[in-house]
Amino acid sequence: MPVVSWFAPGRETGANQIVVLHASRVLDVATGRITAPGEVLVQGERIVSVGSSVAHPAGAEYIDLGDRTLLPGLIDAHVHLFLHPGDEADQSVRESVPQRTISAVLAAKADLVAGFTAERDMGTEGAGSADTAVRNAINAGLVPGPRLRISGNAVDIVGGHEDFTKDLGPQQQILPNATWANNASELVTVIRQQFKEGADFIKIYETGADSIVDGKFSTPFQFTEEEMRVAVQEAARVHRQVAVHATGEPGTLYAARAGVASIDHADQLSDETMRIMREKRIFAVPTFAISEYFADHTQGNDRAKRGLEFHALEFRRQLEAGVPIASGSDVGPFPHGTQAREFELLVKYGMTPLAAIQAGTMNAAELLRWSEQIGQLKAGFLADIVAVPGNPLTDISELTKVAFVMKGGVIYRRPKT
Ligand SMILES: [Zn+2]
C-alpha cells in the first residue's frame, strides 16, 4: 500500500532525510554499556551508525538532546488499544465498534508519544477485527502509533474467563467480548477466521477466574493440552504463533508443552513449566502494572492486593529459574501512555534495571518476531529511538519521562527545552 500523507505531514520529509541525534549518553541494551556522549546517525527510516561521535554529513539535521540517554524505542508486549479505564463489559456493550476504533487510534498515539514504538495488542475485547484497521492506518502513515502485532478478538470458551455474559440472565443475547471455541475443531475454525480477518497471532484464554482458596492459588484450565497443541499447530501451519492468558497449573504446563510463544500474567508456575519455558524460550509476560492498578483502584479488593503479593514472590522464582521475560503492562483498563510504570515494578520485584530494559526492548522484539529490525540501536535496524532524562540504569523511573520519540526515522515527540 503506498504511503498517503494527507494527514501525516511528517512523512513528507523525504525517504533519505539525514538526522544526527546527540545526547550525553547512549545505551547499548544488549551489554548495558553506556557510551558518553552518545550519537546516532539516522538516514531515512534506518540507523546508519551509533557511537560517541558519528559522521555529520552535510545537510543533516542535528538534534542535541542534552543531559539525556538515547536508547531503543520501548516495546509493550501486552496492550489493549480498544480498552480505556472503566468497566470492560460496559465498553463492549455500550460503545459502538466505530467509537471504540476512534478511541483505539487515540490510545495508539498516547502510547507512541510515551515512548512505545512497538506493541502487541492482546485482544479487542468485543470489537472483532477492528484492530486491523488501526494497524493498517499506522503502517500507511495515516495516523501516529506504534508498530503493531494484533490478535483480533481473543479466543475463549463459553462461560470462560472473558465471558462476561455469564453474569447476565441466560435469555440475554449480547455480542461476546471474545470468540468462542469449545474443542479442537472449533479452535481450528476460529483461528482460520481470525487470520483471514487480519490477525498477526492468536490470543487464547487458557485459564480463568483466578481465586485464592484457603491461602492457595486456584485457577481452572480451559483447553486441554491436546487442544492447545492443535491451536499451536494450526497457527504454525501459516507461520504464526499462539499467546495465552494463563496462570497456575495445569493450564500453564499445557500451554508450555504445546509450544506457545508467551504465557501472559504467568503467575504460579510449576518447576516443570518454568523448565520448559527456559528450554523453548517461551516468554513470561508478568503484567504487574495492571495488577497494581486494580489493587489500588478496586475498593475493598483484598484479593487483588494479595494476588499481587503472591505474584511478586513468584516472579523471583521465575527469575531464578531463568524464564525469559518480556515486558507487558496490560494497559487499557488503566490509562494509555502511563504504562512505563511496568519497568519500575519489574525492578521493584527483582530485576536489575538493565534486565527490565532488555525485557521491554530486545526480549519483547524477539517475542514480536522483529528482533532483526528493532529492540536495539544497531546499524541497519529501524530507527525506533527514544531519549529519557539522566541514566535509566541508575534510576529506572526515567523511562516514565520519555522526552523524545522517533519511529522509523519520523520524529513524534521533541523535548520542550
Ligand atoms: Zn490483557
Side-chain angles (χ1 to χ4, degrees):
M1 197 188 290
V3 170
V4 186
S5 58
W6 325 296
F7 303 121
R11 303 289 277 194
E12 290 163 6
T13 44
N16 281 316
Q17 187 193 17
I18 302 172
V19 179
V20 174
L21 302 176
H22 177 98
S24 294
R25 291 161 295 277
V26 62
L27 171 62
D28 177 350
V29 297
T31 62
R33 203 177 55 231
I34 293 262
T35 302
E39 291 193 339
V40 183
L41 174 61
V42 175
Q43 179 163 17
E45 63 176 6
R46 292 191 184 267
I47 295 167
V48 177
S49 55
V50 183
S52 64
S53 172
V54 298
H56 291 205
E61 182 186 2
Y62 178 83
I63 300 175
D64 187 349
L65 292 160
D67 183 22
R68 295 190 172 91
T69 300
L70 292 162
L71 70 156
L74 308 176
I75 304 175
D76 191 333
H78 192 130
V79 307
H80 296 279
L81 291 175
F82 282 75
L83 290 179
H84 57 73
D87 185 77
E88 286 171 32
D90 226 40
Q91 291 174 48
S92 47
V93 172
R94 294 184 198 280
E95 296 176 14
S96 68
V97 171
Q99 177 67 60
R100 297 187 65 200
T101 308
I102 292 170
S103 300
V105 167
L106 297 173
K109 182 180 179 188
D111 289 357
L112 177 64
V113 297
F116 291 88
T117 52
E119 293 184 333
R120 194 175 61 147
D121 193 286
M122 297 297 284
T124 61
E125 309 251 351
S129 56
D131 50 357
T132 58
V134 178
R135 177 199 57 196
N136 295 350
I138 291 169
N139 287 349
L142 297 174
V143 295
R147 302 175 194 287
L148 291 179
R149 295 292 198 202
I150 57 165
S151 62
N153 218 16
V155 183
D156 193 15
I157 57 172
V158 166
H161 178 83
E162 205 57 24
D163 187 353
F164 71 90
T165 65
K166 64 181 182 276
D167 301 324
L168 307 177
Q171 74 280 10
Q172 292 299 335
Q173 298 289 320
I174 290 174
L175 287 177
N177 53 349
T179 304
W180 310 137
N182 289 296
N183 53 52
S185 132
E186 288 179 9
L187 274 168
V188 170
T189 305
V190 162
I191 287 170
R192 288 179 184 175
Q193 186 67 30
Q194 297 212 341
F195 285 144
K196 177 188 165 189
E197 292 177 12
D200 296 311
F201 69 98
I202 299 298
K203 192 259 181 99
I204 294 178
Y205 289 93
E206 167 55 352
T207 67
D210 300 353
S211 62
I212 296 169
V213 182
D214 298 334
K216 281 201 169 147
F217 188 86
S218 160
T219 181
F221 72 90
Q222 303 202 143
F223 293 99
T224 64
E225 183 178 332
E226 187 47 38
E227 287 164 345
M228 285 303 309
R229 281 186 196 281
V230 168
V232 168
Q233 230 167 45
E234 179 54 29
R237 189 179 65 78
V238 287
H239 310 291
R240 301 214 175 111
Q241 294 183 303
V242 171
V244 291
H245 164 124
T247 54
E249 297 297 354
T252 54
L253 180 60
Y254 292 170
R257 281 185 178 151
V260 298
S262 68
I263 296 179
D264 290 58
H265 313 304
D267 201 358
Q268 309 303 311
L269 311 178
S270 67
D271 291 343
E272 175 67 357
T273 298
M274 291 191 285
R275 185 189 65 75
I276 297 171
M277 290 174 76
R278 188 183 64 238
E279 277 178 11
K280 293 188 182 175
R281 263 192 97 62
I282 296 171
F283 287 91
V285 183
T287 64
F288 286 124
I290 188 79
S291 307
E292 181 190 61
Y293 183 82
F294 283 142
D296 288 349
H297 288 81
T298 316
Q299 278 199 342
N301 193 345
D302 280 351
R303 207 188 77 190
K305 282 198 176 66
R306 290 196 62 200
L308 182 58
E309 285 163 19
F310 266 61
H311 196 175
L313 291 173
E314 158 79 13
F315 187 56
R316 287 182 191 273
R317 288 179 59 234
Q318 293 175 16
L319 293 176
E320 278 162 25
V323 172
I325 308 288
S327 178
S329 68
D330 214 352
V331 70
F334 67 96
H336 279 280
T338 68
Q339 70 262 44
R341 173 68 179 153
E342 184 71 21
F343 291 105
E344 297 177 303
L345 294 172
L346 290 172
V347 171
K348 177 179 176 184
Y349 296 134
M351 277 183 137
T352 64
L354 177 62
I357 292 169
Q358 288 171 337
T361 54
M362 49 193 294
N363 287 8
E366 183 183 343
L367 174 55
L368 273 61
R369 290 177 147 183
W370 269 327
S371 58
E372 300 302 310
Q373 299 286 333
I374 58 172
Q376 296 184 58
L377 299 184
K378 278 168 82 166
F381 272 41
L382 288 163
D384 290 5
I385 305 169
V386 298
V388 300
N391 181 349
L393 293 184
T394 52
D395 180 0
I396 194 69
S397 74
E398 304 290 19
L399 294 188
T400 66
K401 302 167 201 153
V402 168
F404 172 87
V405 180
M406 173 183 272
K407 189 194 107 191
V410 177
I411 297 167
Y412 292 92
R413 181 173 195 164
R414 287 174 189 259
K416 292 193 181 72
T417 52

